[in-house]
């Protein structure tokens, strides 16, 4: 009994074309008439032919995978990534986009100099066709290393220093303004900020936007306690703010995890949220709805941004890019119970 699977020759006979034509269609070579392409694709479905991935890679010189790189510092970095809903949303958006293009993502971490070198070597060898990079350090050397290795890449967020690279980002400054305007509209008079690390462009922009809105409203300087994007970091920052500014009645936290930590400290100190102190977060992650009370927050469309990263990279892989592309998304205020 013949157990062999359908071959290119079987598809060619079914379609009434040459084996070479079938090969060009299977390997995505563009110089085939669209009508013939449709004919070949119908024959592929009819015969049940499945392309040989290894053979196809030899022809296209493509691995049909991309690296989803999370670059940061510290031995516990990977554990922090899996605990933070922000990174899960990036993975979800990127995977959804890439799956639709028959590209497979490989999740990789670059938490040290040695790991970054390994990642660059992996990509330079062609083990993946390109990289989607999420950096949590302003001075992350990985994007420059990948550019020097001529690896196609797209960044999540604008790099701290100008680089000839594509990225997706959000108008964080406008997001900070939305938070401030909402707290002011509630009648909050003594505002404070739990800020992101100031070396990150997004953190600086969110704080600058908040201050913009206060300035237009004729308000003076706002106290800031820097956090680290974690629940505990937000709790520690809120503790410092209450010690130095006990009259605070409105708080903007630069992400939802820190806002959740702030709410916990306020409850422990006997303060009602939002009656005594209103709290606004940033991201609109799953934390926002899990928090008690549920968080009013500035929505960052992370899934759409990650999907756009995948599209930009897929476009790069089709041929030489015309130049770096920069996509900037708009924030949205989502009003819930905390403010």
């Amino acid at each position: 009994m013949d157990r062999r699977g359908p071959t290119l020759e079987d598809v060619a006979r079914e379609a009434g074309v040459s084996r070479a034509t079938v090969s060009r269609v299977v390997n995505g070579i563009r110089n085939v008439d669209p009508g013939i392409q449709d004919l070949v694709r119908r024959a592929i479905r009819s015969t049940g032919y499945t392309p040989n991935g290894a053979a196809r890679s030899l022809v296209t010189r493509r691995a049909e995978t991309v690296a989803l790189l999370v670059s940061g510092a510290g031995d516990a970095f990977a554990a922090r990534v899996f605990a933070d809903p922000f990174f899960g949303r990036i993975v979800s958006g990127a995977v959804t986009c890439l799956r639709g293009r028959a590209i497979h993502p490989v999740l990789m971490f670059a938490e040290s100099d040695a790991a970054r070198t390994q990642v660059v070597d992996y990509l330079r060898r062609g083990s993946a066709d390109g990289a989607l990079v999420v950096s949590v350090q302003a001075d992350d050397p990985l994007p420059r290393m990948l550019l020097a290795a001529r690896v196609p890449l797209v960044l999540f967020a604008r790099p701290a220093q100008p680089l000839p690279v594509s990225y997706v980002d959000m108008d964080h400054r406008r997001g900070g303004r939305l938070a401030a305007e909402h707290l002011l509209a509630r009648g909050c008079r003594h505002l404070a900020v739990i800020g992101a690390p100031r070396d990150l462009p997004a953190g600086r922009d969110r704080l600058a936007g908040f201050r913009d809105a206060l300035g237009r409203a004729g308000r003076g300087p706002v106290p800031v306690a820097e956090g680290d994007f974690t629940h505990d970091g937000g709790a520690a920052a809120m503790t410092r703010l209450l010690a130095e500014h006990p009259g605070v009645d409105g708080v903007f936290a630069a992400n939802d995890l820190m806002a959740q930590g702030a709410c916990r400290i306020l409850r422990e100190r006997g303060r009602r949220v939002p009656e005594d102190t209103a709290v606004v977060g940033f991201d609109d992650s799953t934390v926002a709805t899990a928090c008690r009370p549920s968080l009013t927050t500035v929505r960052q469309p992370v899934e759409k941004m990650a999907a756009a990263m995948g599209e930009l990279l897929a476009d790069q892989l089709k041929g030489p890019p015309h130049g770096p592309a920069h996509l900037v998304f708009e924030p949205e205020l989502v009003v819930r119970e905390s403010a």
Side-chain angles (χ1 to χ4, degrees):
M1 183 175 179
D2 187 2
R3 294 181 179 274
R4 72 179 179 89
T7 65
L8 284 178
E9 288 79 7
D10 296 328
V11 176
R13 279 194 299 270
E14 178 76 14
V17 299
S18 70
R19 183 186 188 281
T21 297
V22 175
S23 179
R24 287 198 295 272
V25 173
V26 168
N27 292 311
I29 299 172
R30 298 181 181 182
N31 63 342
V32 180
D33 180 88
I36 294 177
Q37 291 185 43
D38 290 340
L39 191 65
V40 170
R41 291 189 183 105
R42 286 198 297 270
I44 289 172
R45 290 193 294 270
S46 175
T47 60
Y49 171 75
T50 301
N52 182 298
R56 182 174 178 179
S57 294
L58 289 173
V59 175
T60 62
R61 297 186 179 181
R62 291 270 301 276
E64 297 183 338
T65 65
V66 300
L68 178 52
L69 292 173
V70 184
S71 183
D75 294 337
F77 181 64
R80 174 182 164 186
V81 167
F82 287 117
D84 191 330
F86 176 82
F87 294 100
R89 293 173 66 192
I90 292 178
V91 172
S92 175
V95 167
T96 299
C97 169
L98 295 173
R99 182 181 295 159
R101 294 173 177 264
I103 299 174
H104 307 287
V106 178
L107 182 60
M108 303 183 73
F109 296 98
E111 74 283 5
S112 65
D113 289 341
R116 280 186 280 271
T117 299
Q118 290 176 354
V119 162
V120 173
D121 289 344
Y122 176 88
L123 288 159
R124 188 186 283 119
R125 291 195 304 267
S127 299
D129 299 317
L132 305 175
V133 182
V134 184
S135 292
V136 297
Q137 292 176 269
D139 58 349
D140 186 2
L142 184 60
R144 289 187 184 277
M145 294 168 67
L146 294 171
L147 283 171
R150 298 188 177 183
V151 174
L153 74 151
V154 180
L155 301 183
F156 190 98
R158 181 180 85 250
Q161 301 298 325
L163 290 175
V165 63
S166 294
Y167 63 78
V168 301
D169 208 340
M170 195 189 76
D171 188 345
H172 297 279
R173 193 161 188 143
R174 175 165 167 71
R177 289 199 299 269
L178 289 175
E181 289 166 358
H182 182 72
L183 289 170
L184 290 171
R186 281 187 57 88
C188 297
R189 299 182 58 84
H190 305 287
L191 299 177
V193 174
I194 298 175
R198 297 190 190 186
D199 59 344
L200 294 176
R204 292 197 302 267
D205 288 350
R206 293 173 195 181
L207 178 57
F210 195 88
R211 286 170 167 163
D212 287 345
L214 295 188
R216 286 201 299 270
R219 299 295 186 93
V222 61
V224 179
E226 187 172 311
D228 61 359
F229 286 133
T230 68
H231 178 282
D232 289 345
M238 190 71 248
T239 300
R240 295 196 301 273
L241 286 171
L242 289 176
E244 298 170 11
H245 307 278
V248 62
D249 61 359
V251 175
F252 168 49
N255 81 335
D256 290 341
L257 277 171
M258 293 195 297
Q260 186 184 46
C263 287
R264 175 172 67 83
I265 294 301
L266 289 167
R267 287 196 305 271
E268 290 176 358
R269 300 297 175 85
R271 300 205 181 198
R272 299 169 300 165
V273 177
E275 293 85 355
D276 300 323
T277 306
V279 178
V280 175
F282 204 104
D283 283 338
D284 194 26
S285 64
T286 54
V287 170
T289 52
C291 185
R292 292 294 177 266
S294 60
L295 283 175
T296 291
T297 185
V298 177
R299 176 165 178 75
Q300 182 171 199
V302 175
E303 293 86 353
K304 290 182 179 179
M305 294 166 71
M309 289 175 71
E311 291 170 0
L312 288 176
L313 183 59
D315 289 344
Q316 282 188 45
L317 298 179
K318 289 178 181 177
H322 297 295
H326 304 149
L327 298 181
V328 179
F329 289 73
E330 288 297 316
E332 176 188 356
L333 183 72
V334 180
V335 178
R336 294 193 180 93
E337 297 171 342
S338 68

